[in-house]
Amino acid sequence: MAIFYVDGSYDVVMTFKNDPATTRAALNAVVPWLRGEAEMPARAVLAQACRQSARALAAKLPGHAVEVRVPPFVAVQCIEGPRHTRGTPPNVVQCDARTWLLLAVGELELAEAMRAGTVEVSGSRAGEVGKGLPVIAI
């Protein structure tokens, strides 16, 4: 956890160490499901894969201009630019866990997901998230 004093107020930011081996292991646990070779994993397994991969994306593309949301598991900010702190951010990428994980491992391109309507993208900078995908190609 880091505490910053900015413009007369304190801001608490949770920081997470990005461990590529842990991220790869979390993603490897869901790949058979993503490829249709296994049943859907337990909620905790999905949550871990979503959290690890989203945080890895945030480490790969640091910043606060775009928020990536994978409800109900994780939301991270990434991409250099103006910091967003309250309300709905102007640049958002949101999708379900399966779509996010397909993007994270390189089984789906962001542009393809946008065309198919499986990813909600708003704001002029949201598409820049594609520069960090796949998070870890498997």
Side-chain angles (χ1 to χ4, degrees), residues 53-54 56-58 60-61 65-70 76-80 91-95 100 103-104 108-111 114 119-135:
S53 57
L57 175 73
K60 196 175 191 180
L61 301 173
V66 179
E67 186 165 289
V68 176
R69 298 174 179 170
V70 186
V76 297
Q77 291 184 350
C78 57
I79 314 279
E80 287 295 326
N91 299 290
V92 176
V93 175
Q94 182 169 317
C95 59
W100 168 251
L103 292 166
L108 179 64
E109 295 289 324
L110 181 60
M114 289 167 60
V119 167
E120 295 177 38
V121 179
S122 64
S124 61
R125 307 236 6 237
E128 293 178 39
V129 166
K131 294 177 184 175
L133 298 172
V135 175

Side-chain angles (χ1 to χ4, degrees), residues 1 5 10 16 25 27 48 55 63 68 77 85 87 91 99 106 121 123 129 131-132:
M1 177 171 62
Y5 186 75
Y10 288 96
F16 301 93
L27 291 172
Q48 180 70 6
R55 291 172 183 158
V68 176
Q77 291 184 350
T85 57
N91 299 290
T99 302
V121 179
V129 166
K131 294 177 184 175

Side-chain angles (χ1 to χ4, degrees), residues 22-45:
T22 303
T23 302
R24 181 174 293 281
L27 291 172
N28 278 333
V30 299
V31 166
W33 170 63
L34 295 174
R35 294 183 176 159
E37 300 164 357
E39 295 293 316
M40 186 167 104
R43 181 180 169 87
V45 173

Side-chain angles (χ1 to χ4, degrees), residues 17-26 52 56 136:
K17 185 175 189 259
N18 178 37
D19 177 18
T22 303
T23 302
R24 181 174 293 281
Q52 288 292 138
I136 295 179

Side-chain angles (χ1 to χ4, degrees), residues 96-113:
D96 62 53
R98 182 177 178 81
T99 302
W100 168 251
L101 294 168
L102 287 166
L103 292 166
V105 300
E107 296 279 325
L108 179 64
E109 295 289 324
L110 181 60
E112 181 183 342

